[in-house]
Amino acid sequence: MEQALNNFRQALRQAAAKLGLPAFWRWWTGELASLAPMGPRAALQRRRRRPLLAFGDGVAVLWEPRVVDGVLVLAEVARVPIGGDVAATAQAGRAMIEALPRRPSGGAPVKVVIALPPSQVLRKQLTLPAAIEENLKDALTYDLDRHTPFRADQLYFDAVVIERDPAKKLIRVDWAAVLKTVVDTARRHVESWGAQVVGVSPEAPTGEGGSIAPSSRWSKLNLLPEDERPEIVVWRHPRFWVPAAAIAVAAVIAVALPIWQKRDYVITLGGIVEQARAEATASDALRQQLDQATGDYNFALGKKYAYPSTVQLLDDVTKILPDDTWLTQLEIKSTPKGKEPHREMLLRGESANAGRLISALEDSKLFEQAAPRSPTT
């Protein structure tokens, strides 16, 4: 059953890696973290951090995560000499562990992380093809003889990706290895003091004045074997459900609030549109009434000014006719011709040159289709 669960977890991890979910998760949490205030973010990080036991030359230093001025730091709280009286060392170590604040975990031992000095750790950064990221640990296991003079069964090692170059399809890996004897000796000390080791860091903090160290220096490497690391079941702990519920509520509010606001906005716009439609209908009725009144008013004027006035016609005829011409009869009448009435002017009289009168009348802007109605005598 246990093997089946491990295989299932491995299959889930591989599927998530193929879908790019880890990269998305890193990006999303990074964006959310930048939006959170510094104080609450540091407090949340402190809840996730474990006390750190740094082993050096003949001494074990206990560092505890604390929030100072909104920044997460490591504060030195105790020192235990190693290498002297075994009973005194064990008693001082147990007292140091007992002084740590215990979380409500049903009487379980305090969980701590061991930090090793750099002199006992072989560490380097490697540039590798991006294709091996899914099976990074296995690939490095076959290549240990190139990076260390020890055999693979003598070492604990770990590696994490610290940089990705999608253009060149390369990754930069932080790699560290340490002899098993070093880790096992430190673990025996810690477990004899009543604590549980949940991780082994390849670097020990060094603070200003030996009291405070920035938590940003903590490495993500864990030299503890994977099969000996405690299984983290985050979904069974309130520390997972409370932030998850808060994020879910925030997501629902972020999605529903704009929709609700847009609904109110649409309802308001609907009322404005209805009012504008009523005003437009009233304006259209007034415009039709105005067009009808304007048409009725212009009808008489159109009839009146459709043709030149009689006075204008007489004036133009007087100017056109030469001095050797006089009229005995001038008649103006309207005759129906199609839909529009046709207006005619009939001239009778005497002239020294009657043929010239036709061209003179054609040159006028008021007359057209000038022609003799009877033979000229």
Side-chain angles (χ1 to χ4, degrees):
M1 185 64 180
E2 185 66 24
Q3 183 63 30
L5 289 176
N6 292 334
N7 294 337
F8 179 70
R9 295 192 191 98
Q10 183 66 21
L12 286 180
R13 283 194 291 267
Q14 293 177 355
K18 290 181 180 180
L19 294 175
L21 295 181
F24 172 76
W25 176 258
R26 287 190 296 270
W27 169 82
W28 188 60
T29 52
E31 294 294 325
L32 289 180
S34 62
L35 299 177
M38 183 179 298
R41 186 168 68 245
L44 181 61
Q45 291 175 351
R46 185 187 65 82
R47 294 283 298 175
R48 297 170 55 189
R49 297 294 185 180
R50 301 293 182 181
L52 197 70
L53 261 175
F55 285 85
D57 295 334
V59 65
V61 183
L62 179 63
W63 299 80
E64 185 179 4
R66 294 179 182 175
V67 178
V68 178
D69 296 331
V71 179
L72 182 64
V73 298
L74 291 174
E76 180 182 336
V77 294
R79 286 174 174 260
V80 174
I82 300 176
D85 186 5
V86 177
T89 300
Q91 183 178 0
R94 284 192 293 270
M96 178 177 60
I97 297 299
E98 289 294 332
L100 288 174
R102 294 179 178 269
R103 298 176 183 176
S105 54
V110 177
K111 297 178 181 180
V112 298
V113 175
I114 294 176
L116 301 176
S119 59
Q120 296 180 348
V121 179
L122 178 61
R123 188 173 183 183
K124 62 174 66 175
Q125 292 186 358
L126 308 174
T127 301
L128 302 171
I132 70 171
E133 182 176 357
E134 296 182 9
N135 301 301
L136 182 61
K137 297 285 185 66
D138 295 336
L140 291 174
T141 301
Y142 297 117
D143 204 25
L144 281 179
D145 55 348
R146 293 181 56 248
H147 306 295
T148 173
F150 302 101
R151 298 191 310 271
D153 57 355
Q154 294 179 306
L155 298 172
Y156 291 139
F157 79 93
D158 194 20
V160 293
V161 178
I162 57 176
E163 186 178 348
R164 294 174 177 82
D165 189 349
K168 297 181 180 180
K169 296 182 179 180
L170 297 175
I171 57 175
R172 194 154 61 94
V173 176
D174 187 11
W175 175 86
V178 65
L179 288 173
K180 291 183 177 181
T181 55
V182 175
V183 175
D184 293 341
T185 301
R187 288 182 63 186
R188 281 195 297 270
H189 279 294
V190 175
E191 290 172 356
S192 66
W193 296 342
Q196 179 184 359
V197 179
V198 296
V200 178
S201 176
E203 57 187 5
T206 55
E208 300 176 0
S211 59
I212 296 179
S215 64
S216 59
R217 298 180 185 176
W218 284 0
S219 173
K220 295 182 180 180
L221 294 170
N222 188 357
L223 297 174
L224 192 67
E226 291 188 4
D227 55 350
E228 298 182 20
R229 299 176 189 176
E231 184 178 0
I232 302 176
V233 188
V234 293
W235 54 84
R236 297 180 182 176
H237 202 280
R239 285 180 296 173
F240 172 80
W241 286 112
V242 172
I247 293 174
V249 171
V252 171
I253 293 175
V255 173
L257 184 59
I259 296 176
W260 184 265
Q261 293 175 341
K262 289 180 183 290
R263 174 182 174 275
D264 293 341
Y265 185 64
V266 168
I267 292 174
T268 304
L269 284 181
I272 296 175
V273 169
E274 290 297 330
Q275 182 180 358
R277 183 180 291 110
E279 294 177 354
T281 303
S283 299
D284 188 61
L286 290 175
R287 183 182 59 79
Q288 292 179 0
Q289 294 178 5
L290 179 62
D291 291 344
Q292 184 177 358
T294 303
D296 296 341
Y297 176 78
N298 291 333
F299 179 77
L301 294 178
K303 293 295 184 180
K304 180 178 180 179
Y305 295 107
Y307 300 101
S309 63
T310 303
V311 175
Q312 189 176 3
L313 292 175
L314 290 176
D315 181 68
D316 202 52
V317 169
T318 302
K319 292 178 180 180
I320 291 174
L321 295 180
D323 295 339
D324 57 357
T325 301
W326 63 91
L327 298 178
T328 58
Q329 184 180 356
L330 189 148
E331 182 181 357
I332 299 174
K333 62 180 180 178
S334 296
T335 58
K337 189 176 182 181
K339 294 182 179 181
E340 296 293 335
H342 186 70
R343 206 169 189 198
E344 293 183 350
M345 184 176 67
L346 183 63
L347 302 177
R348 288 188 181 89
E350 296 182 7
S351 177
N353 189 355
R356 188 181 57 180
L357 298 178
I358 300 300
S359 60
L361 290 172
E362 286 289 344
D363 292 338
S364 174
K365 296 181 179 180
L366 300 180
F367 305 103
E368 61 182 7
Q369 299 181 6
R373 297 290 299 273
S374 61
T376 302
T377 57

